[in-house]
Amino acid sequence: MNKEYKSGNVKPLHVALSVCIIGVAALSIALSGSISKLKSDGDKAVQGIAEVPEATYETALPVESGAPKEDAIQNASLVYPTVSSDVKELDDSLILANYAVLVDLSTNQIIAERNPDTKLYPASMSKVMTMIVALEHLSDLDTTFTMTSDILDPLKVEGASLAGFSDGEKVTVKDLLYGCGLSSGAEATTALAILVSGSESDFVALMNQKAQELGLVNTHFNNCTGLHDENHYTTATDLAMMMEYAMQNEQLKTILSTYQYTTSSTDQHPNGVQLESTTFEKMYGNEVEGMTIVAGKTGFTDEAGYCLLSYAEDGEGKGYICVAAKSQGRKGAIYDTLNIYGTIDGGYYAPTTTEAPTEAPTQAPATQQQAVEDNQGDAVEDNQEDNVQQEPEQTEAPAQAETDAPVQDQGGEDAPVANDDAQANNQKKDINSPVESAA
C-alpha cells in the first residue's frame, strides 16, 4: 500500500509543491525589486536629486576618467570632437588650470588639451545650460516674473552671487537672462527655472534631458545655479560642446557677448539695474593677436576654482571654443584662456606690469608664476561668484548699453568699446588692474 501510494500520489504532489515554491520565490524577487526602487526613489527625494528620465542617468557617468566618447548618443544634436593628430598638451609651463580644452569648430577637433575628459565642477558655467533651456521654453522675452524673498533669502544665506533684483520686483525674462549671463545672478537663474517649470528640481530635469539630447556623456546637473554639489559635474569637453550649441542661438550669443546692460525701469529700480559682464570686466577680448574673444561665461566656487568658458574667432571668422577650469587666482582663468588661444598662432604675452611690452612676443611665457604673483594682495573675497552676494552699482546706463559689447571690432588695435571716454575711464576692464570679482 505504501509502495502504491508513493508511485501513484507522491510524485504529482512533489511537482505541485515545487511549482508553489518557485512561484513564491519569483514573487519575493519582484517584491524585493519594488522595495529597492521605492527606497532608491526615497533616497533621491531626501538628497534633493531631481527626477529625470532613466536614459539621462544612463548617459551621465560619474567616472574620473570620463565615459568613452564612442558612448555618445547616436542621435545626439552634436558630435563629440576628435583629437587632432598634433594636439598640444597644455602643461604647467603654459597654464595654471587643471582642466582645459581648445576646440577648432571648423574641423570639430581638439587642438589643445589638459585632462579634457576628467570630471570637474563647473560652478556658474552651468548657467549656460540654464539659459539654453530657458530660451527654448520661453518665447516671449517681455513676460515678467515677480521676484520673491523665498528665492532671495536662501541664496543670500548660501552666499550666492546676485544680480541685484529686489523682493516684489517685476522683472522681464530678457532682464533675467542678462542678469544670469552677465552678473551670474543666482536669483535671476532660479527665477527662470521657476518660470519655466514651476520648481528648480523640475527645471534641472530639463537641463539633464537637454544634456542627453546634445550627447554630453559625462555631465549631470543637480541645480540651476552652479552652486557646489557632488552630483553636479561635467568635463571640459562636454562644456565646450555645450558652448558650441549655445553659440548657435543668436539671442544667447548676444547676451554672452555683451559688456554692459541696464535692465528695465521698475518701482524698485527706476533707473534699472546696471549689469556688467564678469568676463569682459577683466579683459577687452582682443589681447591675443589675430583672435577676438566674442563671448564668455565665468565660474567660481572653492571646489571648482576659477573658470572661464569662451568662444573666439580668428581674423577669417573661424570659430574656437576654449575651456579653462580650476585655475588659481582671480585672474588665473583669464590668463590661461589667453595663453590657450595663443597656441593657435604665436602665443600670448601674459603681462607682469601695467606697461606694454616694447616688442610683440613670439611665444607664451615660460611659466605662469607671474599670474600668481599678480594676484597677490588681490585676493579679497568680498564679491566672489557663487560664494558672496554682489551688490551692483545703481547708476545710469551708458548710451546703447546693450550693444556696447567689447567684441564688435574683429581684431582691431583699439579696445572695442563704443565710447572712447568710457574706455579711458574703465579701469576695471584693464586685466592689469585690480578687479572686484572673479565670477
Side-chain angles (χ1 to χ4, degrees):
M1 183 176 180
N2 289 340
K3 192 173 183 180
E4 182 181 352
Y5 179 80
K6 288 179 181 178
S7 60
N9 298 317
V10 173
K11 185 173 182 180
L13 180 61
H14 176 71
V15 171
L17 287 173
S18 298
V19 171
C20 289
I21 292 172
I22 292 172
V24 170
L27 180 62
S28 176
I29 292 172
L31 288 173
S32 176
S34 298
I35 293 171
S36 297
K37 184 179 187 305
L38 288 172
K39 182 178 183 302
S40 174
D41 291 344
D43 290 343
K44 288 178 184 176
V46 170
Q47 296 171 8
I49 299 176
E51 283 297 326
V52 299
E54 218 36 58
T56 301
Y57 281 103
E58 290 175 0
T59 57
L61 305 178
V63 291
E64 287 302 320
S65 60
K69 293 178 178 137
E70 55 268 22
D71 288 347
I73 303 171
Q74 291 183 357
N75 296 323
S77 301
L78 301 176
V79 177
Y80 245 85
T82 58
V83 179
S84 171
S85 58
D86 57 350
V87 62
K88 181 174 181 60
E89 296 296 331
L90 301 169
D91 57 25
D92 289 338
S93 68
L94 190 67
I95 64 171
L96 297 170
N98 286 2
Y99 316 100
V101 70
L102 178 62
V103 179
D104 181 341
L105 295 181
S106 66
T107 61
N108 197 35
Q109 286 190 324
I110 296 173
I111 58 176
E113 65 178 16
R114 184 175 197 178
N115 300 319
D117 298 311
T118 301
K119 184 172 76 173
L120 60 85
Y121 299 119
S124 279
M125 294 185 291
S126 310
K127 292 185 173 80
V128 174
M129 180 62 84
T130 301
M131 298 171 72
I132 288 172
V133 174
L135 278 168
E136 292 184 352
H137 286 80
L138 298 171
S139 57
D140 186 358
L141 301 189
D142 292 326
T143 300
T144 60
F145 176 87
T146 302
M147 192 62 63
T148 68
S149 58
D150 289 341
I151 293 174
L152 292 166
D153 292 346
L155 294 172
K156 291 176 181 178
V157 171
E158 288 190 80
S161 74
L162 302 176
F165 300 118
S166 302
D167 180 27
E169 186 169 9
K170 291 185 177 180
V171 188
T172 65
V173 169
K174 182 178 181 179
D175 290 347
L176 290 173
L177 288 165
Y178 274 92
C180 174
L182 269 63
S183 299
S184 208
E187 86 277 38
T189 310
T190 304
L192 288 169
I194 294 173
L195 192 57
V196 170
S197 301
S199 69
E200 181 177 10
S201 61
D202 287 345
F203 185 83
V204 170
L206 293 179
M207 293 173 68
N208 283 313
Q209 180 181 342
K210 192 64 183 181
Q212 178 190 359
E213 291 173 2
L214 297 182
L216 310 185
V217 297
N218 292 304
T219 295
H220 182 264
F221 299 104
N222 221 34
N223 59 61
C224 65
T225 59
L227 288 167
H228 180 68
D229 188 301
E230 289 290 333
N231 293 314
H232 188 99
Y233 56 82
T234 185
T235 65
T237 302
D238 278 16
L239 282 170
M241 294 174 67
M242 183 176 72
M243 189 65 164
E244 176 189 359
Y245 184 80
M247 292 300 97
Q248 296 172 16
N249 185 308
E250 288 302 320
Q251 182 69 50
L252 182 47
K253 185 176 181 180
T254 297
I255 294 171
L256 294 178
S257 300
T258 299
Y259 171 37
Q260 289 179 330
Y261 172 85
T262 300
T263 64
S264 307
S265 174
T266 63
D267 291 341
Q268 290 78 5
H269 296 100
N271 295 324
V273 178
Q274 184 171 331
L275 306 174
E276 188 169 273
S277 167
T278 57
T279 297
F280 292 115
E281 69 177 2
K282 304 178 183 69
M283 64 178 177
Y284 292 120
N286 61 357
E287 287 82 359
V288 180
E289 185 175 357
M291 298 291 296
T292 299
I293 298 176
V294 175
K297 182 69 195 78
T298 58
F300 173 81
T301 62
D302 288 337
E303 296 81 2
Y306 294 85
C307 308
L308 178 58
L309 171 61
S310 63
Y311 166 74
E313 294 177 355
D314 63 15
E316 299 177 351
K318 190 163 70 171
Y320 298 85
I321 301 288
C322 177
V323 179
K326 201 165 188 179
S327 190
Q328 304 172 27
R330 302 178 72 189
K331 303 173 190 173
I334 298 293
Y335 286 129
D336 286 343
T337 297
L338 298 176
N339 273 324
I340 293 170
Y341 282 126
T343 63
I344 297 173
D345 184 20
Y348 163 74
Y349 174 80
T352 57
T353 71
T354 56
E355 297 179 4
T358 56
E359 295 181 5
T362 57
Q363 60 183 9
T367 175
Q368 276 285 298
Q369 180 61 31
Q370 66 268 31
V372 178
E373 294 171 355
D374 193 39
N375 284 301
Q376 290 178 351
D378 212 16
V380 178
E381 305 296 333
D382 289 341
N383 289 319
Q384 292 177 330
E385 174 178 328
D386 302 333
N387 239 8
V388 178
Q389 175 185 0
Q390 295 178 352
E391 294 293 342
E393 299 176 359
Q394 300 303 309
T395 59
E396 291 286 347
Q400 298 179 332
E402 181 180 345
T403 59
D404 283 349
V407 293
Q408 302 306 315
D409 182 359
Q410 299 299 308
E413 290 299 321
D414 294 332
V417 179
N419 188 313
D420 291 339
D421 293 333
Q423 173 187 332
N425 294 326
N426 183 12
Q427 293 303 312
K428 282 201 302 181
K429 197 160 165 289
D430 183 347
I431 61 170
N432 300 309
S433 301
V435 293
E436 295 181 358
S437 170

